[in-house]
Amino acid sequence: MAAKIIDGKAIANKVHADSRRAVEELKTRGITPGLAVVLVGDDPASRAYVRSKDKMCRELGLHSVKHELPAATTQQELIALVEKLNADPAIHGILVQSPPPAHIDERAVIEAIDPRKDVDGFHPVNVAKLALGDRDGFVPCTPLGCQKLLVESAVETAGAHIVVLGRSMIVGKPLALLLMQKGRGGDATVTVAHSRTRNIAEVTRSADILIAAIGRAEFVQAEHVREGAVVIDVGINRVDDPILDRGYRLTGDVDFANVAAKCAAITPVPGGVGPMTIAMLIANTIKACRQLHGLESETAWD
Ligand code: GUN
């Protein structure tokens, strides 16, 4: 069976088209949604993400501010910047790129962000809102993007057994909460498996939909996947490849060739979940902007 390739770029472009229209509509009211992205240190992958977020915001007409701070930035300096952005009326969304350097207490930085501007959905207020099912909160962008991919690809989640592989606060945990919510893109029976799960292949093979977010290159092999399952690959791993000029290749958490031969549909890496994360970040920023201006907001996850 040849798997259907779920085209994250094409679906992200649809989300961007909606965002562009929403930004234009806000501009007719004299409002421009603004996003501030903060990067501490010079991790090349993080730098590349931050630049692509900034570029996409500008393309869609948002006000975009990028703060690239040296690795030696102190906790105090970083929190002072967050507080300045909290108070800036031109900024509706704040994202501090994770992970920060080791001397920074990431939790304290996240808690310094005004939850109404926390478009990453990492603040405890927004984590609680997701758990409670309050739809005015912010859901982390990668889980939101995974759900949107399933909805737009007409993959039924209601009643499906979804196995989420990975339990991070950025992907696994919020994704499990999101998929078990009532409503479109939810109503799933969710299992979270992780590095300490016993008989992991047995667990993942019972999935109708398998979402790999374990951060290990090509961890998911054909033996982990049931024939006809849908596979979403959240991983982006750099693997040394001396044949390539840049010295590495990007690969997901799934062994694409072997798994694609067995499953019904699969996301590629790159070009699957990656573009969706930025699309949902921009959708969250527009939602924050509308809420801060007291306007009705369509939730980004409906
Ligand atoms: N690092 C990897 N993914 C993310 C994300 O969605 N948000 C932030 N802030 N950092 C990340």
Side-chain angles (χ1 to χ4, degrees):
M1 181 169 39
K4 175 187 157 194
I5 307 296
I6 298 176
D7 185 348
K9 254 191 183 161
I11 297 171
N13 281 337
K14 269 178 73 175
V15 178
H16 288 318
D18 290 344
S19 292
R20 185 177 276 116
R21 271 193 296 277
V23 170
E24 280 164 10
E25 195 272 329
L26 282 166
K27 283 188 170 172
T28 64
R29 301 168 188 254
I31 300 168
T32 302
L35 174 68
V37 176
V38 181
L39 170 67
V40 185
D42 41 30
D43 173 64
S46 293
R47 200 174 272 263
Y49 295 146
V50 165
R51 298 225 161 126
S52 55
K53 286 167 193 166
D54 181 56
K55 183 163 167 267
M56 189 51 74
C57 279
R58 288 169 195 276
E59 275 177 35
L60 296 177
L62 284 87
H63 169 57
S64 175
V65 181
K66 182 166 46 99
H67 292 271
E68 291 182 307
L69 308 178
T73 301
T74 65
Q75 167 98 3
Q76 238 182 349
E77 287 166 334
L78 181 55
I79 289 186
L81 172 60
V82 166
E83 285 169 351
K84 206 172 113 204
L85 296 169
N86 282 342
D88 184 344
I91 296 298
H92 307 98
I94 301 169
L95 178 148
V96 180
Q97 185 67 27
S98 179
H103 67 278
I104 301 276
D105 175 357
E106 186 172 16
R107 181 75 192 266
V109 175
I110 288 169
E111 289 186 17
I113 298 172
D114 181 337
R116 296 170 304 168
K117 295 190 176 186
D118 169 38
V119 287
D120 254 332
F122 294 167
H123 191 286
V125 166
N126 286 313
V127 176
K129 284 190 175 192
L130 173 59
L132 291 165
D134 289 0
R135 300 214 166 203
D136 64 341
F138 293 98
V139 178
C141 305
T142 301
L144 212 46
C146 290
Q147 186 189 47
K148 187 81 175 166
L149 278 179
L150 293 171
V151 170
E152 292 294 324
S153 309
V155 176
E156 184 57 85
T157 56
H161 183 208
I162 303 185
V163 175
V164 176
L165 199 45
R167 54 177 160 177
S168 72
M169 284 307 300
I170 295 186
V171 187
K173 270 192 208 175
L175 183 54
L177 286 169
L178 191 58
L179 295 168
M180 71 172 89
Q181 295 278 18
K182 289 185 177 169
R184 206 153 87 105
D187 291 321
T189 303
V190 181
T191 299
V192 179
H194 48 77
S195 54
R196 300 297 299 273
T197 297
R198 243 182 276 134
N199 303 327
I200 202 158
E202 213 169 279
V203 175
T204 56
R205 263 201 310 271
S206 70
D208 302 309
I209 301 168
L210 176 61
I211 306 185
I214 202 165
R216 285 163 67 177
E218 298 178 358
F219 176 86
V220 174
Q221 296 290 319
E223 58 158 330
H224 293 94
V225 179
R226 188 174 56 72
E227 191 98 26
V230 173
V231 179
I232 305 288
D233 189 353
V234 179
I236 303 180
N237 307 288
R238 287 186 177 202
V239 175
D240 289 343
D241 191 340
I243 289 171
L244 298 177
D245 280 348
R246 59 182 182 181
Y248 67 89
R249 67 188 164 88
L250 289 180
T251 182
D253 289 355
V254 177
D255 179 341
F256 183 86
N258 287 321
V259 171
K262 195 173 182 187
C263 65
I266 187 168
T267 58
V269 176
V273 174
M276 294 303 294
T277 298
I278 294 184
M280 303 325 284
L281 172 67
I282 291 169
N284 271 352
T285 303
I286 293 167
K287 173 177 166 174
C289 175
R290 294 186 66 87
Q291 289 185 349
L292 285 161
H293 281 90
L295 300 168
E296 284 278 307
S297 113
E298 274 176 41
T299 63
W301 42 322
D302 279 340

